[in-house]
Amino acid sequence: MAADVDIREVGPRDGLQAEAPVSVDDRVRLIEKLIDAGVRHIEACSFVSPKAVPSMAGAAEVMARVPRTSGIRYAALVPNLKGAQMALEAGVDELTVTISASETYNQRNVKMPIEESVAQIEQICAAAAQIPVDAIVSCAFGSPYEEVPPRDVVTLARRLESDGATRITYADTTGMATPPLISTLAAVASSIDGLHLHDSRGTALVNAYAAVELGVRRFDTSIGGLGGSPFADGAAGNLATEGLAYLLDDAGYETGVDLGRLLEASALVAGMIGHPVASRLAAAGAP
């Protein structure tokens, strides 16, 4: 059965990037476990400098060892043209790029102004050719540094689409979103293709449900609720994959994943990182 909701699992990249380095063996083992649970869309790694992000070292080796089964799509985050070229050589199915709607956050996160990031993304889109590029617009629902009006967020997204981005994912990087804010952005943008939600203020799951009610059918999630941002005070992890799957399954939406096996993957990653995960469902267990 085709999934009603596309869950892109970002734990192997966005989740583990916020942790102490985990071996390539373990990262591949986690991806295999997620696939066993029915996950078919995975952000597997990031092609960044290992000096800048030690936890993402060995990205090409990860891609060389992951299962290549029909129907599974692997994405990789790339920061620049060099990273995109390396990812394409490694055989990824999708590139993800990130840019912030907040000027200050963009400077802190990628060390360049928004305009320079736009130019980088245009180069990446040109190099990608037929490979999809998903542009993730961070701080789409607020920034700790300055006001970010929804119209400015959507204007940036439209520029990225005109420069070649295949799709847009709006990210609540700072966990400031609420259902009314999601509704407002959806109205300004006419529709929302995808969302990347963080749970800094405990609203990620209710925001996801509100978005589903508005017609959103694509979400980034992280096993165990792993993740976070060092550039936003108090930023917590991503929306937990198992939490969203539990809610959507009960609401009658098809996700294509097995909740019991997802919880096994959550337990596996907790052992890898050496501490409990943030996911409340992982702590309480399935009913």
Side-chain angles (χ1 to χ4, degrees), residues 35-271:
I35 291 171
D36 184 56
V39 177
R40 292 295 179 264
H41 195 181
I42 302 171
E43 189 179 57
C45 56
S46 176
F47 284 83
V48 295
S49 166
K51 292 182 180 179
V53 189
S55 55
M56 286 294 101
E61 187 178 355
V62 169
M63 288 306 306
R65 294 175 54 187
V66 293
R68 294 288 185 165
T69 304
S70 176
I72 297 177
R73 290 177 288 158
Y74 291 111
L77 178 72
V78 297
N80 49 38
L81 182 58
K82 179 180 178 181
Q85 291 168 337
M86 294 171 64
L88 294 170
E89 289 171 4
V92 303
D93 304 301
E94 175 183 273
L95 299 178
T96 55
V97 295
T98 183
I99 184 173
S100 180
S102 163
E103 184 67 54
T104 304
Y105 187 92
N106 204 70
Q107 291 275 7
R108 289 174 176 247
N109 186 33
V110 295
K111 307 298 187 294
M112 65 181 73
I114 291 174
E115 287 300 318
E116 192 172 334
S117 286
V118 170
Q120 289 266 15
I121 290 171
E122 184 177 10
Q123 291 179 345
I124 291 168
C125 291
Q130 300 304 311
I131 300 296
V133 178
D134 186 348
I136 301 172
V137 180
S138 65
C139 295
F141 300 95
S143 165
Y145 305 112
E146 61 251 326
E147 183 181 0
V148 183
R151 191 162 299 282
D152 290 354
V153 174
V154 174
T155 297
L156 176 59
R158 296 292 178 263
R159 285 188 65 189
L160 298 171
E161 288 177 325
S162 68
D163 287 340
T166 311
R167 54 180 50 167
I168 301 293
T169 298
Y170 294 106
D172 182 27
T173 315
T174 56
M176 298 170 72
T178 60
L181 288 176
I182 289 175
S183 180
T184 297
L185 185 66
V188 174
S190 297
S191 65
I192 292 176
D193 181 24
L195 283 175
H196 180 115
L197 300 170
H198 284 247
D199 204 31
S200 303
R201 292 169 176 81
T203 58
L205 195 56
V206 70
N207 287 336
Y209 189 71
V212 169
E213 293 286 278
L214 289 170
V216 180
R217 293 294 182 268
R218 185 170 62 81
F219 294 89
D220 285 355
T221 64
S222 179
I223 192 69
L226 296 180
S229 170
F231 306 108
D233 291 342
N238 294 275
L239 172 61
T241 307
E242 58 267 39
L244 182 62
Y246 171 59
L247 175 67
L248 292 179
D249 286 351
D250 196 57
Y253 293 94
E254 176 63 37
T255 62
V257 299
D258 181 279
L259 183 59
R261 291 182 178 180
L262 272 184
L263 289 172
E264 292 175 4
S266 189
L268 175 67
V269 78

Side-chain angles (χ1 to χ4, degrees), residues 10-23 27 30 52-57 222-230 236-238 269-278:
V10 301
R13 197 285 299 176
D14 195 359
L16 291 181
Q17 184 170 293
E19 301 289 336
V22 172
S23 70
R27 287 153 63 189
L30 173 60
V53 189
S55 55
M56 286 294 101
S222 179
I223 192 69
L226 296 180
S229 170
N238 294 275
V269 78
M272 290 177 179
I273 62 178
H275 63 79
V277 295

